[in-house]
Amino acid sequence: MDKRPVPDLLTPMLKPIETINTLITAFRTASAPLDIKAKDSVVQIQPENAEARVILILDGALNIYRTADNLRFVRAAAPNLFGMQGSPFRNNLYQFRSEKGAVLETLPYSRAVELVSEHQLFKEVLDFQTYLSDFQAYRTNLLISKSTYQIVCAFLFELEMMPPEQRLRTSVFNYIHEHTHLARSGVMKILSDLRQGEYINIENGKLVAILKKLPREY
């Protein structure tokens, strides 16, 4: 069955897990546990009056929000790391909030750069930065100059790609709204029409499956 996305919404490269694990292994020779006090604790990459740091996500996830409008940019699950850009501007564009049970470690940005040099990990850093850049471009492409229908379809495909146990705990509307701030009425109308057309199966507000290729036009 052809389940390619609605045309125009290109998807970024796959998460380079092997590359990320290689970087994490090197960085853990100098990292220390990061104490998380509670769910949704803010994790600062650029602490005030302190050196920038790199955050390693060993288990669980961080949710990343745009500082300007509190839009959830992405859920970044382990393995992952952030802070290698080394740019205060980029670091302050987003807020990082830990999920309950997340296991995080941290090390100074300057020490991470030293370890990259010591272990000759320049290609791994470049590959990972390419992935981050592509994902940011994908999100921008998805949200700018796209119809509500195109955006809803794109996030339905994102939900479909989640592991089933995570997808079936995730409200379709909440997921779309947190990432887009689209009006409830418009999103719910599109979801209702897709259900009635038997394009998607939603039970208790959760996406069970995309049943067939979504229409190009709404």
Side-chain angles (χ1 to χ4, degrees), residues 16 18 27 42 69 147 161 167:
E18 184 176 348
F27 293 160
V42 175
D69 55 7
S147 69
M161 290 187 290
R167 185 180 70 250

Side-chain angles (χ1 to χ4, degrees), residues 129-145:
Q129 300 290 52
T130 299
Y131 163 71
L132 292 181
S133 179
D134 278 3
F135 190 88
Q136 187 172 29
Y138 159 72
R139 271 285 190 261
T140 300
N141 180 58
L142 191 159
L143 295 174
I144 295 179
S145 299

Side-chain angles (χ1 to χ4, degrees), residues 1 3 6 149 152-160 167 172-173 176 187-215 218:
M1 182 179 296
K3 291 187 178 180
V6 173
Y149 175 69
V152 168
C153 288
F155 280 104
L156 285 171
F157 282 110
E158 282 195 12
L159 283 164
E160 187 189 38
R167 185 180 70 250
V172 175
F173 171 75
I176 294 172
V187 173
M188 296 303 290
K189 176 70 164 57
I190 291 169
L191 294 176
S192 175
D193 289 344
L194 289 174
R195 288 184 68 186
Q196 290 182 21
E198 299 184 345
Y199 290 98
I200 58 175
N201 181 7
I202 292 180
E203 295 181 5
N204 299 317
K206 315 300 192 299
L207 179 68
V208 177
I210 295 177
L211 303 175
K212 56 186 176 181
K213 184 178 178 180
L214 304 182
Y218 179 53

Side-chain angles (χ1 to χ4, degrees), residues 62-90:
L62 292 180
N63 286 299
I64 304 174
Y65 293 80
R66 282 197 321 215
T67 304
D69 55 7
N70 203 38
L71 187 86
R72 185 162 79 151
F73 186 71
V74 70
R75 177 183 185 270
N80 229 316
L81 67 145
F82 292 94
M84 282 305 296
Q85 289 86 350
S87 164
F89 172 75
R90 289 180 65 90

Side-chain angles (χ1 to χ4, degrees), residues 14-34:
L14 295 176
K15 180 179 176 182
I17 293 178
E18 184 176 348
T19 294
I20 293 170
N21 282 330
T22 298
L23 291 169
I24 287 177
T25 297
F27 293 160
R28 290 197 73 191
T29 62
S31 62
L34 184 63

